[in-house]
Amino acid sequence: MSISSVAGPGGPGGGGLVDAFTARYGRAPEAVWRAPGRVNLIGDHTDYAGGLALPFAIDRAVLVAGAARDDGALVGWSVQRPGDDAWLVYAEGVRRAATRRGLLPADGRGADLLVDSDLPVGAGLSSSAALTVAVAGVLLQLAGRPAGPEETAALCQEAENVTVGVPTGLLDQTALLQSRTGHVLAVDFRHTPPTVDPIPCPLNGLQLLAVDTRVAHEVADGTYAERRRAVEAAATELGVQNLRDAEPAAVAALPPALRRRAQHVVNENERVTAVVALLRAGRTAEIGPLLTASHASLRDDFEVSCPELDLAVDAALRAGALGARMTGAGFGGTVVVLVREDEASRVIAAVEAAFDDASMPSRTTRVEPGEGARALR
Ligand code: ADP
Ligand code: MG
């Protein structure tokens, strides 16, 4: 699905959603939450390695409206998945994780839920984390038990890990919950919960583009788990808890397969630190080569890219982008591109042309750092 072709979520205030909820359930919603998607500017496959990342929330979001039910049932409808209940496993996961933490009463009050979204599903912009965060906001508000961003992030991660069965780290939930307009979030995963430092990201004369490859290769889940194991094995072999603390010479002496995985993580952490320093100095245009180096590392050392991601990155760079990289776990999803404003149209045209399907809706959209998840009602 194209980022630009999805239906809007009924206006920024969620007004359309309130009317739709009322029409469907015959009463007004008692809570409405908005949770955005995210782009990770740099720092991928570092969260579960106790490393660094630099995500930001984008201006596309999942909206969830809800009202309590007395019979314990979780009933839902999604405008994007009419008549299909499969996504309710995310809501059930949130309810279970929140109940286990004592945030929801054990006798399990239920809810009617309505979902609408302009965030593409399965494009690596984290629609799944946005869904869980918005559902968590609604269920906790209905129970009169609001939770802080760290607890909400942890329970949403638990929902995806345990009930849905996807082994995600904490990057997405943290980004969605704590982002601020005009900032990227320097997230340090050394400790749990991670620490978060908002860094101003002025785009004066620059633009960030998200390119949807429109592919999600099936190898993604198994390979993600395998990469996590390799990172853990490298740390064990080096006798460190965190690859950030490994001596470069010791990393270089690892067996080749482990060495390349570990090198990606070590070098990626350093690139995140360098990007943060440039942003703090107001030198945003200079981060481009670091973004491109991150892509090369994910492609060659960590081996989680794919032909479509490489095609988008190469086409953007050839057309004059300052930097480009895959963002997220890999094997499809989205590429983030940094480009000068006056070259954006040329870069977009070149990327569209590279995919040789110009009759399709555009795969490229401009993104900028937006606000984190919040209650609209
Ligand atoms: P990503 O998080 O990269 O978008 P995932 O595969 O992790 O991709 O999550 C996609 C899943 O999240 C969908 O299969 C669906 O179950 C759920 N989801 C996301 N957005 C919606 C929505 N608007 N309506 C219903 N389910 C959704
Ligand atoms: Mg996801």
Side-chain angles (χ1 to χ4, degrees), residues 62 78 80-81 86-87 90 115-117 119-129 131 160:
V62 173
S78 164
Q80 283 69 48
R81 299 280 164 98
W87 63 271
Y90 289 87
V115 176
D116 197 358
S117 170
L119 186 59
V121 177
L125 297 175
S126 222
S127 73
S128 61
L131 179 62
E160 278 207 59

Side-chain angles (χ1 to χ4, degrees), residues 43-52 227-228 230-232 234-235 242-245 251 258-273 297-298 301-302:
D44 272 309
H45 289 277
T46 50
D47 59 344
Y48 55 81
L52 304 167
R227 294 296 186 276
R228 279 189 81 135
V231 165
E232 279 155 24
N242 190 312
L243 283 179
R244 256 151 83 191
D245 304 324
V251 174
L258 279 192
R259 186 186 68 223
R260 284 185 293 129
R261 308 296 185 240
Q263 246 159 12
H264 164 71
V265 174
V266 170
N267 296 339
E268 185 82 346
N269 286 329
E270 286 175 3
R271 283 186 287 266
V272 174
T273 305
S297 174
L298 288 156
D301 280 346
F302 217 65

Side-chain angles (χ1 to χ4, degrees), residues 74-138:
L74 267 185
V75 176
W77 183 265
S78 164
V79 175
Q80 283 69 48
R81 299 280 164 98
D84 173 2
D85 277 356
W87 63 271
L88 269 173
V89 66
Y90 289 87
E92 186 55 46
V94 167
R95 176 162 75 166
R96 276 190 212 164
T99 305
R100 199 186 65 73
R101 286 157 187 271
L103 291 167
L104 292 177
D107 57 3
R109 274 214 307 172
D112 289 328
L113 300 172
L114 185 67
V115 176
D116 197 358
S117 170
D118 66 355
L119 186 59
V121 177
L125 297 175
S126 222
S127 73
S128 61
L131 179 62
T132 58
V133 165
V135 167
V138 165

Side-chain angles (χ1 to χ4, degrees), residues 19 108 126 203 277 299 301 313 339:
D19 291 346
S126 222
L203 287 174
R299 183 191 60 211
D301 280 346
V313 167
V339 63

